[in-house]
Amino acid sequence: MARRIVETNAVSLDREKPIYEEGISKQQIRNENPYSKRHGVIFPSAGAYEVRVDY
């Protein structure tokens, strides 16, 4: 199942992008983090991960 990743313009102390658990919708993430700029989806694919970014 896919997981969501969020990019923001703000810099955190650890400089990491938050990755959310499976089953959370894009709308739930936007309610939690209204200042996020890019939303992407991570799909497991043959032992690796494929990232797709939607705006």
Side-chain angles (χ1 to χ4, degrees):
M1 183 168 226
R3 297 176 71 173
R4 296 203 172 264
I5 186 168
V6 176
E7 287 184 43
T8 62
N9 288 338
V11 177
S12 64
L13 294 176
D14 55 6
R15 298 186 185 271
E16 292 184 358
K17 299 173 187 172
I19 299 176
Y20 292 88
E21 61 269 5
E22 297 176 357
I24 291 184
S25 71
K26 188 177 189 180
Q27 188 62 36
Q28 290 172 322
I29 295 172
R30 286 187 185 219
N31 289 337
E32 183 178 315
N33 187 358
Y35 301 108
S36 58
K37 297 297 178 186
R38 291 184 180 183
H39 292 262
V41 180
I42 299 174
F43 294 102
S45 173
Y49 288 97
E50 179 182 338
V51 178
R52 294 184 188 165
V53 178
D54 51 326
Y55 300 95

